[in-house]
């Protein structure tokens, strides 16, 4: 049985939401291919955490472990998409 409810993605980040509400962060490196598409290479996949722990500080700290510089806008984008998804499921 699949325990994954959905994947929510930005260019370099993916939030996986499980059926029990827990969430998992995956961090990628998206790079430009000379063939016109942009593949993503998985850098790290963290253990799942409770949804209330999946905060801006949590995500940005995990990103800081693998990137020396990273756009904060992308962290905000991921969290906004997660919030929009959760809000749409409540209605």
């Amino acid at each position: 049985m699949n325990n994954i409810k959905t994947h929510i993605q930005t260019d370099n980040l993916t939030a996986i939401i499980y059926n029990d509400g827990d969430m998992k962060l995956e961090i990628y490196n998206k790079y430009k291919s000379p063939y016109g598409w942009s593949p993503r290479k998985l850098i790290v996949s963290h253990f799942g955490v409770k949804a209330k722990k999946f905060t801006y500080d949590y995500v940005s700290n995990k990103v800081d472990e693998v990137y020396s510089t990273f756009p904060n806008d992308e962290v905000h984008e991921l969290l906004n998409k997660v919030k929009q998804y959760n809000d749409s499921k409540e209605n």
Side-chain angles (χ1 to χ4, degrees), residues 2-23:
N2 188 351
N3 290 328
I4 296 174
K5 186 182 272 188
T6 192
H7 291 79
I8 298 173
Q9 296 183 179
T10 63
D11 284 344
N12 297 290
L13 303 173
T14 296
I16 299 173
I17 301 176
Y18 291 94
N19 288 325
D20 64 3
D22 289 353
M23 298 179 69

Side-chain angles (χ1 to χ4, degrees), residues 2 4 8 13-14 17 23 25 31 33 41 43-45 51 53 63 68 70 72 80 83-84 87:
N2 188 351
I4 296 174
I8 298 173
L13 303 173
T14 296
I17 301 176
M23 298 179 69
L25 176 66
Y31 54 94
S33 167
K41 179 181 174 191
I43 296 173
V44 65
S45 179
K53 289 188 76 172
V63 168
S68 58
F70 191 84
N72 290 338
N80 284 336
K83 182 180 180 336
Q84 288 173 350
D87 288 349

Side-chain angles (χ1 to χ4, degrees), residues 10 49 86 89:
T10 63
V49 297
N86 287 335
K89 295 301 172 188

Side-chain angles (χ1 to χ4, degrees), residues 17-68:
I17 301 176
Y18 291 94
N19 288 325
D20 64 3
D22 289 353
M23 298 179 69
K24 180 178 182 178
L25 176 66
E26 294 182 338
I27 302 171
Y28 290 84
N29 179 20
K30 181 177 178 182
Y31 54 94
K32 187 83 169 151
S33 167
Y35 304 107
W37 54 290
S38 299
R40 290 171 31 140
K41 179 181 174 191
L42 181 63
I43 296 173
V44 65
S45 179
H46 291 281
F47 289 110
V49 297
K50 298 292 180 192
K52 65 182 177 184
K53 289 188 76 172
F54 200 88
T55 63
Y56 177 84
D57 287 339
Y58 172 80
V59 174
S60 62
N61 286 338
K62 294 301 183 185
V63 168
D64 287 346
E65 291 176 7
V66 294
Y67 281 105
S68 58

